[in-house]
Amino acid sequence: MAMTAAAVSLLVPVGAGTAADSAPRDDGDGARASAPRIESALLAEMNRVRADHGRRALRPIATLKRPARAQSRYLLGQGILDHSGRDGSPFWTRLIAAGYPRGRTLGENLAMVPGCSTGVAARTVQMWMKSPGHRANLLNPAFRWAGAGAASDADCSSTVLTADYGS
């Protein structure tokens, strides 16, 4: 299964696109991880990369985490990657509806990867760093807050990850 991703931001031009890369099914431990463990691993890995590039750490916030997790579940169920909501609305309407303040810079990265161990977080961030739109979101110095969402299917063939960012 190929890893795919999409990114979009209100600050940078839409960086939507697909990056495909072959990857092993899991990170070698073969252990299925819960969505909260994968989400924690994703936030930790994003912050590790940000620190390596002189950026401050992203702080988790529920008003971004809830919609990120819901979008991951929705996309997994549909078998697609799309920043639009169920009704076709742009991603930022989800974040504002969840309580994130209007008028802030927002961004979103998405990925669908094989496996369901915590290792999918590191593979996803590596993939995002190779894509200009994803990289711009991940390293954006204006972003201070993040919500990480994850959803895996029953047989661990796919995990969808959503990272929502806010200034």
Side-chain angles (χ1 to χ4, degrees):
M1 172 183 249
M3 296 193 320
T4 58
V8 69
S9 172
L10 291 177
L11 183 63
V12 297
V14 176
T18 302
D21 196 21
S22 296
R25 182 171 163 82
D26 60 43
D27 62 353
D29 63 11
R32 180 182 185 93
S34 66
R37 285 189 57 217
I38 295 170
E39 292 162 355
S40 292
L42 181 60
L43 184 62
E45 188 63 19
M46 289 189 301
N47 280 333
R48 185 192 66 74
V49 168
R50 284 176 65 89
D52 288 350
H53 289 84
R55 304 299 194 271
R56 65 180 160 204
L58 297 165
R59 295 189 302 186
I61 187 169
T63 53
L64 293 177
K65 182 176 185 149
R66 284 190 310 271
R69 184 179 280 174
Q71 186 72 353
S72 289
R73 288 177 181 160
Y74 167 67
L75 296 175
L76 181 69
Q78 298 297 307
I80 61 170
L81 288 182
D82 190 352
H83 295 284
S84 301
R86 296 171 195 257
D87 62 356
S89 61
F91 81 94
W92 59 85
T93 60
R94 246 186 301 118
L95 307 182
I96 292 167
Y100 203 78
R102 290 181 181 275
R104 300 287 180 95
T105 302
L106 297 166
E108 181 170 83
N109 284 354
L110 301 173
M112 183 181 290
V113 297
C116 62
S117 68
T118 56
V120 301
R123 290 197 320 266
T124 296
V125 171
Q126 288 171 1
M127 182 175 58
W128 286 345
M129 288 298 289
K130 293 176 184 176
S131 163
H134 296 93
R135 182 183 178 96
N137 279 343
L138 182 57
L139 297 180
N140 187 329
F143 291 147
R144 297 179 46 211
W145 304 96
S152 302
D153 56 13
D155 67 356
C156 281
S157 61
S158 295
T159 295
V160 173
L161 297 112
T162 302
D164 286 324
Y165 306 100
S167 64

